[in-house]
Amino acid sequence: MTILRRPFSSADLGMGDEDWYYLARDTETGRVFVYHEWSHRRGAAHEGGNEDIDLDTFLRHQGTAQDHLRALIGSLAVG
């Protein structure tokens, strides 16, 4: 399985808290989704993780990352 990813948003929230968002596609199934990766500082420790989010679920919410994805999608529709 190969996952292709294109970054579209990131946030450095300070104090070691960071988020990265990618538009992703599974080349075997054709599934397109948002891949979210994060690193958050909790005291002296860092916690990191990732999740796959369905496009419709992600776009139902308001936020900077959603705005960035809408802009990317819009840029693809320009002829």
Side-chain angles (χ1 to χ4, degrees):
M1 169 173 70
T2 301
I3 304 294
L4 302 176
R5 300 185 305 177
R6 178 176 177 172
F8 67 85
S9 188
S10 63
D12 183 348
L13 307 171
M15 302 297 293
D17 286 354
E18 297 179 273
D19 288 285
W20 303 272
Y21 295 89
Y22 304 85
L23 184 59
R25 183 173 62 88
D26 182 327
T27 59
E28 286 185 24
T29 66
R31 178 177 173 245
V32 177
F33 57 95
V34 171
Y35 179 80
H36 175 213
E37 188 175 17
W38 64 86
S39 175
H40 296 178
R41 186 176 180 154
R42 302 290 177 250
H46 276 96
E47 296 176 358
N50 62 69
E51 64 180 333
D52 296 351
I53 308 169
D54 289 328
L55 283 177
D56 60 337
T57 301
F58 184 78
L59 291 171
R60 272 190 234 137
H61 300 280
Q62 296 297 317
T64 302
Q66 286 82 358
D67 292 343
H68 289 164
L69 180 55
R70 287 183 187 98
L72 173 61
I73 292 169
S75 73
L76 300 174
V78 175

